[in-house]
Coordinates of all heavy atoms in Angstrom, one line a residue:
M8 N -26.7 21.3 12.5 CA -25.9 20.9 13.7 C -25.0 22.1 14.0 O -24.5 22.8 13.2 CB -25.0 19.8 13.3 CG -25.6 18.4 13.4 SD -24.3 17.2 13.5 CE -24.3 16.5 11.8
E9 N -24.9 22.3 15.3 CA -24.0 23.4 15.8 C -22.7 22.9 16.3 O -22.7 21.7 16.6 CB -24.7 24.3 16.8 CG -24.9 23.5 18.1 CD -25.7 24.3 19.2 OE1 -26.7 25.0 18.8 OE2 -25.1 24.3 20.3
T10 N -21.7 23.7 16.2 CA -20.4 23.2 16.7 C -20.3 23.4 18.2 O -20.9 24.4 18.7 CB -19.3 24.1 16.1 OG1 -19.4 24.0 14.6 CG2 -17.9 23.7 16.5
T11 N -19.8 22.4 18.9 CA -19.7 22.4 20.3 C -18.2 22.4 20.7 O -17.4 21.8 20.0 CB -20.5 21.3 21.0 OG1 -19.9 20.1 20.4 CG2 -21.9 21.3 20.7
K12 N -17.9 23.0 21.9 CA -16.5 23.0 22.5 C -16.3 21.6 23.1 O -17.1 21.1 23.9 CB -16.3 24.0 23.5 CG -15.0 24.1 24.1 CD -14.0 24.6 23.1 CE -12.7 24.8 23.9 NZ -11.5 24.5 23.1
T13 N -15.2 21.0 22.7 CA -14.8 19.6 23.2 C -13.4 19.6 23.6 O -12.6 20.6 23.3 CB -15.1 18.5 22.3 OG1 -14.1 18.6 21.2 CG2 -16.5 18.6 21.6
D14 N -13.0 18.6 24.3 CA -11.6 18.3 24.5 C -10.8 17.6 23.4 O -9.7 17.2 23.6 CB -11.5 17.5 25.9 CG -11.9 18.4 27.1 OD1 -11.7 19.6 27.0 OD2 -12.3 17.7 28.1
L15 N -11.5 17.3 22.3 CA -10.9 16.7 21.2 C -9.8 17.6 20.6 O -9.9 18.8 20.6 CB -11.9 16.4 20.2 CG -13.0 15.4 20.6 CD1 -14.1 15.3 19.5 CD2 -12.4 14.0 20.9
P16 N -8.8 17.0 20.0 CA -7.7 17.8 19.4 C -8.0 18.4 18.0 O -7.1 18.9 17.4 CB -6.6 16.8 19.4 CG -7.2 15.5 19.1 CD -8.5 15.5 19.9
F17 N -9.2 18.3 17.6 CA -9.6 18.8 16.3 C -10.2 20.2 16.4 O -11.0 20.4 17.2 CB -10.6 17.8 15.6 CG -10.2 16.4 15.6 CD1 -10.6 15.5 16.7 CD2 -9.3 15.9 14.7 CE1 -10.2 14.2 16.6 CE2 -8.9 14.6 14.7 CZ -9.3 13.7 15.7
D18 N -9.8 21.0 15.4 CA -10.4 22.4 15.3 C -11.1 22.5 14.0 O -10.7 22.0 12.9 CB -9.3 23.4 15.3 CG -8.5 23.4 16.7 OD1 -9.2 23.3 17.7 OD2 -7.3 23.6 16.7
V19 N -12.2 23.2 14.0 CA -12.9 23.5 12.8 C -12.0 24.2 11.8 O -11.3 25.0 12.1 CB -14.2 24.4 13.1 CG1 -14.8 24.8 11.8 CG2 -15.2 23.6 14.0
G20 N -12.0 23.7 10.5 CA -11.1 24.2 9.5 C -9.9 23.5 9.3 O -9.2 23.6 8.3
S21 N -9.4 22.6 10.3 CA -8.2 21.9 10.2 C -8.4 20.6 9.3 O -9.5 20.1 9.2 CB -7.7 21.6 11.6 OG -8.5 20.7 12.3
K22 N -7.3 20.2 8.7 CA -7.3 19.1 7.8 C -6.7 17.9 8.5 O -5.6 18.1 9.1 CB -6.7 19.3 6.5 CG -7.3 20.5 5.7 CD -6.6 20.7 4.4 CE -5.1 21.1 4.5 NZ -4.5 21.5 3.2
W23 N -7.3 16.7 8.3 CA -6.7 15.5 9.0 C -6.8 14.3 8.1 O -7.7 14.1 7.3 CB -7.6 15.2 10.2 CG -7.4 16.3 11.3 CD1 -8.0 17.5 11.4 CD2 -6.5 16.2 12.4 NE1 -7.7 18.1 12.5 CE2 -6.7 17.3 13.2 CE3 -5.6 15.2 12.8 CZ2 -6.0 17.6 14.3 CZ3 -4.9 15.5 14.0 CH2 -5.1 16.6 14.7
L24 N -6.0 13.3 8.4 CA -6.1 12.0 8.0 C -6.4 11.2 9.2 O -5.7 11.2 10.2 CB -4.8 11.4 7.4 CG -4.9 9.9 6.8 CD1 -3.9 9.7 5.7 CD2 -4.8 8.9 7.8
I25 N -7.6 10.6 9.2 CA -8.1 9.9 10.4 C -8.3 8.4 10.1 O -8.8 8.0 9.1 CB -9.5 10.4 10.9 CG1 -9.3 11.9 11.2 CG2 -10.1 9.6 12.0 CD1 -10.7 12.6 11.5
R26 N -7.7 7.5 11.0 CA -7.8 6.1 10.8 C -8.8 5.6 12.0 O -8.5 5.9 13.2 CB -6.5 5.4 10.9 CG -5.5 5.7 9.7 CD -4.3 4.8 9.6 NE -3.5 4.9 10.8 CZ -2.3 4.1 10.8 NH1 -1.9 3.4 9.8 NH2 -1.6 4.2 11.8
T27 N -9.8 4.9 11.6 CA -10.7 4.2 12.5 C -10.4 2.8 12.6 O -9.5 2.2 11.8 CB -12.1 4.5 12.1 OG1 -12.5 3.7 11.0 CG2 -12.4 6.0 11.9
V28 N -11.2 2.1 13.4 CA -11.0 0.7 13.5 C -11.3 -0.1 12.1 O -10.9 -1.3 12.0 CB -11.9 0.0 14.6 CG1 -11.3 0.5 15.9 CG2 -13.3 0.3 14.4
T29 N -12.0 0.5 11.2 CA -12.4 -0.1 9.9 C -12.0 0.6 8.7 O -12.0 -0.1 7.6 CB -13.9 -0.5 9.9 OG1 -14.6 0.8 10.0 CG2 -14.3 -1.4 11.0
F30 N -11.6 1.8 8.8 CA -11.3 2.6 7.5 C -10.5 3.8 7.8 O -10.2 4.2 9.0 CB -12.6 3.0 6.8 CG -13.4 3.9 7.5 CD1 -13.3 5.3 7.4 CD2 -14.4 3.5 8.4 CE1 -14.1 6.2 8.2 CE2 -15.3 4.4 9.0 CZ -15.1 5.7 8.9
A31 N -10.0 4.5 6.8 CA -9.3 5.8 7.0 C -9.9 6.8 6.0 O -10.4 6.4 4.9 CB -7.8 5.6 6.6
V32 N -9.9 8.0 6.4 CA -10.5 9.1 5.6 C -9.6 10.4 5.8 O -8.9 10.5 6.8 CB -11.9 9.5 6.0 CG1 -12.9 8.4 5.7 CG2 -11.9 9.9 7.4
T33 N -9.6 11.2 4.7 CA -9.1 12.6 4.9 C -10.2 13.6 4.8 O -11.3 13.2 4.2 CB -8.1 12.9 3.8 OG1 -8.7 12.7 2.5 CG2 -6.9 12.1 3.9
G34 N -10.0 14.7 5.3 CA -11.1 15.8 5.2 C -10.8 17.0 6.1 O -9.8 17.0 6.9
R35 N -11.6 18.0 5.9 CA -11.5 19.2 6.7 C -12.6 19.2 7.7 O -13.8 19.0 7.4 CB -11.6 20.4 5.8 CG -11.5 21.7 6.5 CD -11.6 23.0 5.5 NE -10.4 23.0 4.7 CZ -10.4 22.6 3.4 NH1 -11.5 22.2 2.8 NH2 -9.3 22.7 2.7
V36 N -12.3 19.5 9.0 CA -13.3 19.5 10.0 C -14.3 20.7 9.8 O -13.9 21.8 9.7 CB -12.7 19.7 11.4 CG1 -13.7 19.8 12.5 CG2 -11.7 18.5 11.7
K37 N -15.6 20.3 9.6 CA -16.7 21.3 9.4 C -17.4 21.6 10.7 O -17.6 22.7 11.0 CB -17.6 20.7 8.3 CG -18.8 21.6 8.0 CD -19.6 21.0 7.0 CE -20.9 21.8 6.7 NZ -21.7 21.1 5.6
Q38 N -17.6 20.5 11.5 CA -18.3 20.7 12.7 C -17.8 19.6 13.7 O -17.4 18.5 13.3 CB -19.8 20.6 12.6 CG -20.5 21.6 11.8 CD -22.0 21.4 11.7 OE1 -22.4 20.2 11.4 NE2 -22.7 22.3 11.8
I39 N -18.0 19.9 15.0 CA -17.8 18.8 16.1 C -19.1 18.9 16.8 O -19.5 19.9 17.3 CB -16.6 19.1 16.9 CG1 -15.3 19.1 16.1 CG2 -16.5 18.1 18.0 CD1 -14.1 19.6 16.8
K40 N -19.8 17.8 16.9 CA -21.1 17.7 17.5 C -21.0 16.5 18.5 O -21.0 15.4 18.1 CB -22.2 17.5 16.5 CG -23.5 17.4 17.1 CD -24.0 18.8 17.7 CE -25.5 18.7 18.1 NZ -26.0 19.9 18.7
G41 N -20.8 16.8 19.8 CA -20.7 15.7 20.7 C -19.5 14.8 20.4 O -18.4 15.4 20.3
K42 N -19.7 13.6 20.2 CA -18.6 12.7 19.9 C -18.4 12.5 18.4 O -17.7 11.6 18.0 CB -18.7 11.4 20.7 CG -19.9 10.5 20.3 CD -19.9 9.3 21.1 CE -21.1 8.4 20.7 NZ -21.2 7.1 21.4
F43 N -19.1 13.3 17.6 CA -19.0 13.1 16.1 C -18.2 14.3 15.5 O -18.4 15.4 15.9 CB -20.3 13.1 15.6 CG -21.1 11.8 16.0 CD1 -22.0 11.9 17.0 CD2 -21.0 10.6 15.3 CE1 -22.7 10.7 17.5 CE2 -21.7 9.4 15.7 CZ -22.4 9.5 16.9
I44 N -17.4 14.0 14.5 CA -16.7 15.0 13.7 C -17.2 14.9 12.3 O -17.4 13.8 11.7 CB -15.1 14.7 13.7 CG1 -14.5 14.7 15.0 CG2 -14.4 15.6 12.7 CD1 -13.1 14.1 15.1
V45 N -17.7 16.1 11.8 CA -18.2 16.2 10.5 C -17.0 16.7 9.6 O -16.5 17.7 9.9 CB -19.4 17.1 10.4 CG1 -19.9 17.2 9.0 CG2 -20.5 16.7 11.4
L46 N -16.7 15.9 8.6 CA -15.6 16.3 7.6 C -16.2 16.7 6.3 O -17.1 16.0 5.8 CB -14.7 15.1 7.4 CG -14.0 14.6 8.6 CD1 -13.1 13.4 8.3 CD2 -13.0 15.6 9.2
E47 N -15.8 17.8 5.7 CA -16.1 18.2 4.4 C -14.9 18.0 3.4 O -13.8 17.7 3.9 CB -16.6 19.6 4.3 CG -15.6 20.6 4.8 CD -16.1 22.0 4.9 OE1 -17.3 22.3 4.4 OE2 -15.4 22.9 5.4
D48 N -15.1 18.0 2.2 CA -14.0 17.8 1.2 C -13.3 16.5 1.6 O -12.1 16.4 1.6 CB -13.0 19.0 1.2 CG -13.7 20.3 0.9 OD1 -14.5 20.3 0.0 OD2 -13.3 21.3 1.6
A49 N -14.1 15.4 1.9 CA -13.6 14.2 2.4 C -13.3 13.2 1.2 O -13.8 13.3 0.1 CB -14.5 13.7 3.4
A50 N -12.5 12.2 1.7 CA -12.2 11.0 0.8 C -11.9 9.8 1.7 O -11.3 9.9 2.7 CB -11.0 11.4 -0.1
W51 N -12.4 8.7 1.1 CA -12.2 7.4 1.8 C -10.9 6.9 1.2 O -10.7 6.9 0.0 CB -13.4 6.4 1.5 CG -13.1 5.1 1.9 CD1 -13.0 4.6 3.3 CD2 -12.9 3.9 1.1 NE1 -12.8 3.3 3.3 CE2 -12.7 2.8 2.1 CE3 -12.9 3.6 -0.2 CZ2 -12.5 1.5 1.6 CZ3 -12.7 2.4 -0.6 CH2 -12.5 1.3 0.3
L52 N -10.0 6.4 2.1 CA -8.7 5.9 1.6 C -8.7 4.3 1.6 O -8.6 3.8 2.7 CB -7.6 6.4 2.5 CG -7.6 7.9 2.7 CD1 -6.5 8.3 3.7 CD2 -7.5 8.7 1.4
A53 N -8.9 3.8 0.5 CA -8.7 2.3 0.3 C -7.4 1.8 0.7 O -7.2 0.7 1.2 CB -9.3 1.8 -1.1
D54 N -6.3 2.6 0.2 CA -4.9 2.2 0.4 C -4.1 3.4 0.5 O -4.0 4.2 -0.5 CB -4.6 1.3 -0.8 CG -3.1 0.8 -0.7 OD1 -2.5 1.0 0.4 OD2 -2.6 0.2 -1.6
T55 N -3.4 3.6 1.6 CA -2.6 4.8 1.7 C -1.2 4.6 1.0 O -0.5 5.6 0.8 CB -2.3 5.1 3.2 OG1 -1.6 4.1 3.8 CG2 -3.6 5.5 4.0
G56 N -0.9 3.4 0.7 CA 0.5 3.0 0.2 C 1.4 3.1 1.4 O 0.9 2.9 2.6
R57 N 2.6 3.3 1.3 CA 3.6 3.4 2.4 C 3.1 4.5 3.3 O 3.1 5.7 2.8 CB 5.0 3.5 1.9 CG 6.0 3.4 3.1 CD 7.4 3.3 2.7 NE 7.7 2.0 2.0 CZ 7.9 1.0 2.4 NH1 8.0 0.8 3.8 NH2 8.2 -0.1 1.7
F58 N 2.8 4.3 4.5 CA 2.1 5.2 5.4 C 3.0 6.5 5.6 O 2.5 7.6 5.6 CB 1.7 4.6 6.7 CG 0.7 5.5 7.4 CD1 -0.6 5.7 7.0 CD2 1.1 6.1 8.6 CE1 -1.4 6.5 7.6 CE2 0.2 6.9 9.3 CZ -1.1 7.1 8.8
S59 N 4.3 6.3 5.9 CA 5.1 7.5 6.2 C 5.2 8.4 5.0 O 5.3 9.5 5.1 CB 6.5 7.0 6.6 OG 7.2 6.3 5.6
V60 N 5.2 7.8 3.8 CA 5.2 8.5 2.6 C 3.9 9.3 2.4 O 4.0 10.5 2.0 CB 5.5 7.7 1.3 CG1 5.3 8.5 -0.1 CG2 6.9 7.0 1.4
A61 N 2.8 8.7 2.7 CA 1.5 9.4 2.7 C 1.5 10.7 3.6 O 1.1 11.7 3.2 CB 0.4 8.5 3.0
I62 N 2.0 10.4 4.8 CA 2.0 11.5 5.8 C 2.9 12.7 5.4 O 2.6 13.8 5.4 CB 2.3 11.0 7.2 CG1 1.2 10.0 7.7 CG2 2.5 12.1 8.2 CD1 -0.2 10.6 7.8
E63 N 4.1 12.3 4.9 CA 5.1 13.3 4.6 C 4.9 14.0 3.3 O 5.2 15.2 3.1 CB 6.5 12.7 4.7 CG 6.9 12.2 6.1 CD 6.9 13.3 7.1 OE1 7.3 14.5 6.8 OE2 6.4 13.1 8.3
S64 N 4.4 13.3 2.3 CA 4.3 13.9 1.0 C 2.9 14.1 0.5 O 2.7 14.8 -0.5 CB 5.1 13.0 -0.1 OG 4.3 11.8 -0.2
G65 N 1.9 13.5 1.1 CA 0.6 13.5 0.6 C 0.2 12.6 -0.5 O -0.9 12.7 -1.1
T66 N 1.1 11.7 -0.9 CA 0.9 10.8 -1.9 C 0.2 9.5 -1.4 O 0.6 8.9 -0.5 CB 2.3 10.3 -2.5 OG1 3.0 11.5 -3.0 CG2 2.1 9.3 -3.7
L67 N -1.0 9.3 -2.0 CA -1.8 8.1 -1.6 C -2.0 7.2 -2.7 O -2.0 7.6 -3.9 CB -3.2 8.7 -1.1 CG -3.2 9.6 0.1 CD1 -4.5 10.4 0.2 CD2 -2.9 8.8 1.3
S68 N -2.2 5.9 -2.5 CA -2.3 4.9 -3.5 C -3.7 4.7 -4.1 O -3.8 4.5 -5.3 CB -1.8 3.5 -3.0 OG -0.4 3.6 -2.8
E69 N -4.7 4.6 -3.2 CA -6.1 4.4 -3.7 C -7.0 5.3 -2.9 O -7.1 5.1 -1.7 CB -6.4 2.9 -3.6 CG -7.7 2.5 -4.3 CD -7.9 1.0 -4.3 OE1 -7.0 0.3 -4.0 OE2 -9.1 0.7 -4.6
V70 N -7.7 6.2 -3.6 CA -8.6 7.2 -3.0 C -9.9 7.2 -3.7 O -10.0 7.1 -4.9 CB -7.9 8.6 -3.1 CG1 -8.8 9.6 -2.5 CG2 -6.6 8.6 -2.5
E71 N -11.0 7.3 -2.9 CA -12.3 7.6 -3.4 C -12.8 8.8 -2.8 O -13.3 8.8 -1.6 CB -13.2 6.3 -3.1 CG -12.8 5.1 -3.8 CD -13.9 4.0 -3.8 OE1 -15.1 4.3 -3.8 OE2 -13.4 2.8 -4.0
A72 N -12.8 9.9 -3.6 CA -13.3 11.2 -3.1 C -14.8 11.2 -3.1 O -15.4 10.5 -3.9 CB -12.8 12.3 -4.0
V73 N -15.4 11.9 -2.1 CA -16.8 11.9 -2.0 C -17.3 13.4 -2.0 O -16.5 14.3 -1.7 CB -17.3 11.1 -0.7 CG1 -17.0 9.7 -0.8 CG2 -16.8 11.8 0.5
T74 N -18.5 13.5 -2.4 CA -19.1 14.9 -2.5 C -20.0 15.2 -1.4 O -20.7 16.3 -1.5 CB -19.8 15.1 -3.9 OG1 -20.8 14.1 -3.9 CG2 -18.8 14.9 -5.0
V75 N -20.1 14.4 -0.4 CA -20.9 14.7 0.7 C -20.1 14.7 2.0 O -18.9 14.2 2.0 CB -22.0 13.6 0.9 CG1 -22.9 13.6 -0.3 CG2 -21.4 12.2 1.1
D76 N -20.6 15.3 3.0 CA -19.9 15.3 4.3 C -19.8 13.9 4.9 O -20.7 13.0 4.6 CB -20.7 16.1 5.4 CG -20.6 17.6 5.0 OD1 -19.9 18.0 4.1 OD2 -21.4 18.4 5.6
V77 N -18.7 13.6 5.6 CA -18.5 12.3 6.2 C -18.5 12.6 7.8 O -17.9 13.5 8.3 CB -17.1 11.7 5.8 CG1 -16.8 10.5 6.6 CG2 -17.1 11.4 4.3
V78 N -19.2 11.7 8.4 CA -19.4 11.8 9.9 C -18.7 10.6 10.6 O -18.9 9.5 10.2 CB -20.9 11.8 10.3 CG1 -21.0 12.0 11.9 CG2 -21.6 13.0 9.6
V79 N -17.6 11.0 11.4 CA -16.8 10.1 12.1 C -17.2 10.0 13.6 O -17.1 11.1 14.2 CB -15.4 10.3 11.9 CG1 -14.5 9.3 12.6 CG2 -15.0 10.3 10.4
N80 N -17.5 8.9 14.1 CA -17.7 8.8 15.5 C -16.3 8.7 16.2 O -15.5 7.7 15.9 CB -18.5 7.4 15.8 CG -18.8 7.3 17.3 OD1 -18.0 7.7 18.1 ND2 -19.9 6.6 17.5
T81 N -16.0 9.5 17.1 CA -14.7 9.7 17.7 C -14.4 8.3 18.5 O -13.2 8.1 18.8 CB -14.5 10.9 18.5 OG1 -15.5 10.9 19.6 CG2 -14.6 12.1 17.7
D82 N -15.4 7.6 19.0 CA -15.1 6.3 19.7 C -14.4 5.3 18.8 O -13.8 4.4 19.3 CB -16.4 5.7 20.2 CG -17.0 6.5 21.3 OD1 -16.3 7.4 21.9 OD2 -18.2 6.3 21.6
S83 N -14.4 5.5 17.4 CA -13.9 4.6 16.5 C -12.5 4.9 16.0 O -11.9 4.1 15.3 CB -14.8 4.4 15.3 OG -14.8 5.5 14.5
I84 N -12.0 6.1 16.4 CA -10.7 6.6 15.9 C -9.6 5.9 16.6 O -9.5 5.7 17.9 CB -10.6 8.1 16.2 CG1 -11.6 8.9 15.3 CG2 -9.2 8.6 15.9 CD1 -11.6 10.4 15.5
V85 N -8.7 5.3 15.8 CA -7.5 4.7 16.3 C -6.3 5.7 16.5 O -5.6 5.8 17.5 CB -7.1 3.5 15.4 CG1 -5.8 2.9 15.9 CG2 -8.2 2.5 15.3
D86 N -6.1 6.4 15.4 CA -5.2 7.6 15.4 C -5.5 8.6 14.3 O -6.3 8.3 13.5 CB -3.7 7.0 15.3 CG -3.5 6.2 14.0 OD1 -4.4 6.1 13.1 OD2 -2.5 5.5 14.0
A87 N -4.9 9.7 14.4 CA -5.2 10.8 13.5 C -3.9 11.7 13.2 O -3.1 11.8 14.2 CB -6.3 11.7 14.0
Y88 N -3.8 12.2 12.0 CA -2.6 12.9 11.6 C -3.1 14.2 11.0 O -3.9 14.1 10.1 CB -1.8 12.1 10.6 CG -1.4 10.7 11.2 CD1 -2.2 9.6 11.3 CD2 -0.1 10.6 11.8 CE1 -1.9 8.5 11.8 CE2 0.3 9.3 12.3 CZ -0.6 8.3 12.4 OH -0.2 7.2 13.0
V89 N -2.4 15.3 11.4 CA -2.6 16.6 10.7 C -2.2 16.3 9.2 O -1.2 15.8 8.9 CB -1.8 17.7 11.3 CG1 -1.9 19.0 10.5 CG2 -2.3 17.9 12.8
W90 N -3.1 16.8 8.3 CA -2.9 16.7 6.9 C -2.4 18.0 6.3 O -3.2 18.9 6.3 CB -4.2 16.2 6.1 CG -3.9 15.8 4.8 CD1 -4.4 16.5 3.6 CD2 -3.3 14.7 4.4 NE1 -4.0 15.8 2.5 CE2 -3.3 14.6 2.9 CE3 -2.7 13.5 5.0 CZ2 -2.8 13.6 2.1 CZ3 -2.2 12.5 4.2 CH2 -2.2 12.5 2.8
K91 N -1.1 18.1 6.0 CA -0.5 19.3 5.5 C -0.6 19.5 4.1 O 0.0 20.5 3.6 CB 1.0 19.3 6.0 CG 1.2 19.2 7.5 CD 2.7 19.1 7.8 CE 2.9 18.9 9.3 NZ 4.3 18.8 9.6
H92 N -1.3 18.7 3.4 CA -1.3 18.7 1.9 C -2.7 19.0 1.4 O -3.6 19.1 2.1 CB -0.9 17.3 1.4 CG 0.3 16.8 2.2 ND1 1.5 17.2 2.0 CD2 0.3 15.8 3.2 CE1 2.4 16.5 2.9 NE2 1.6 15.6 3.6
K93 N -2.7 19.3 0.1 CA -4.0 19.5 -0.5 C -4.9 18.2 -0.3 O -4.4 17.1 -0.4 CB -3.9 19.7 -2.0 CG -5.1 20.0 -2.8 CD -4.8 20.2 -4.2 CE -6.2 20.4 -5.0 NZ -5.9 20.6 -6.4
L94 N -6.1 18.4 0.0 CA -7.0 17.3 0.2 C -7.3 16.6 -1.1 O -7.5 17.3 -2.2 CB -8.3 17.6 0.9 CG -8.2 18.1 2.3 CD1 -9.5 18.8 2.8 CD2 -7.9 16.9 3.2
P95 N -7.3 15.2 -1.2 CA -7.7 14.6 -2.5 C -9.0 14.9 -3.0 O -10.0 14.9 -2.2 CB -7.6 13.1 -2.1 CG -6.9 13.0 -0.8 CD -7.1 14.3 -0.1
E96 N -9.1 15.2 -4.3 CA -10.4 15.7 -4.9 C -10.9 14.7 -5.9 O -12.0 14.8 -6.4 CB -10.2 17.1 -5.5 CG -9.9 18.1 -4.5 CD -9.6 19.5 -5.1 OE1 -9.2 19.5 -6.3 OE2 -9.8 20.5 -4.4
E97 N -10.1 13.8 -6.3 CA -10.4 12.9 -7.4 C -10.2 11.4 -6.9 O -9.3 11.1 -6.1 CB -9.5 13.1 -8.6 CG -9.7 14.4 -9.2 CD -8.9 14.6 -10.4 OE1 -8.2 13.7 -10.9 OE2 -8.7 15.8 -10.9
T98 N -11.0 10.5 -7.5 CA -10.9 9.1 -7.2 C -9.7 8.5 -8.0 O -9.6 8.8 -9.2 CB -12.2 8.4 -7.5 OG1 -13.2 8.9 -6.7 CG2 -12.1 6.9 -7.4
I99 N -8.8 7.9 -7.3 CA -7.6 7.3 -8.0 C -7.4 6.0 -7.6 O -7.8 5.5 -6.5 CB -6.3 8.2 -7.8 CG1 -6.0 8.2 -6.3 CG2 -6.4 9.5 -8.5 CD1 -4.7 8.8 -6.0

């Protein structure tokens, strides 16, 4: 897949916490292809805990780190937050 220029607010290399209509993930943007964002170093967030604490401190309650890229359809995104912390690497 090649990276394409879009009007989306995501840049390749930036880290995000993305909430969709059914789940939340963290990851680093690897590629943007049409309406899809490919995240590397990703993790599925079963429980963020208190959300403001997660965003401000990077502390998450329940995380399942994955070793494969995660592809998110931008049509399913509810909101997204710049992730200023180290990306979760372990399942907790």
Side-chain angles (χ1 to χ4, degrees):
M8 281 198 254
E9 66 182 49
T10 302
T11 58
K12 178 71 174 149
T13 70
D14 291 331
L15 297 172
F17 307 97
D18 294 318
V19 171
S21 60
K22 297 183 296 184
W23 291 85
L24 184 154
I25 298 173
R26 295 194 298 184
T27 72
V28 294
T29 58
F30 64 89
V32 293
T33 55
R35 180 177 293 103
V36 178
K37 179 178 179 179
Q38 293 178 319
I39 301 170
K40 181 73 173 175
K42 64 181 180 177
F43 296 94
I44 300 169
V45 180
L46 299 174
E47 61 187 352
D48 303 322
W51 174 68
L52 309 179
D54 182 5
T55 62
R57 186 169 298 276
F58 194 69
S59 62
V60 172
I62 296 301
E63 294 303 320
S64 71
T66 302
L67 299 162
S68 292
E69 190 175 350
V70 176
E71 293 194 25
V73 296
T74 59
V75 296
D76 292 346
V77 172
V78 180
V79 177
N80 183 329
T81 59
D82 289 344
S83 70
I84 294 175
V85 175
D86 54 15
Y88 301 80
V89 172
W90 192 251
K91 300 176 184 178
H92 317 286
K93 181 178 177 186
L94 290 167
E96 298 174 336
E97 297 180 9
T98 297
I99 56 169

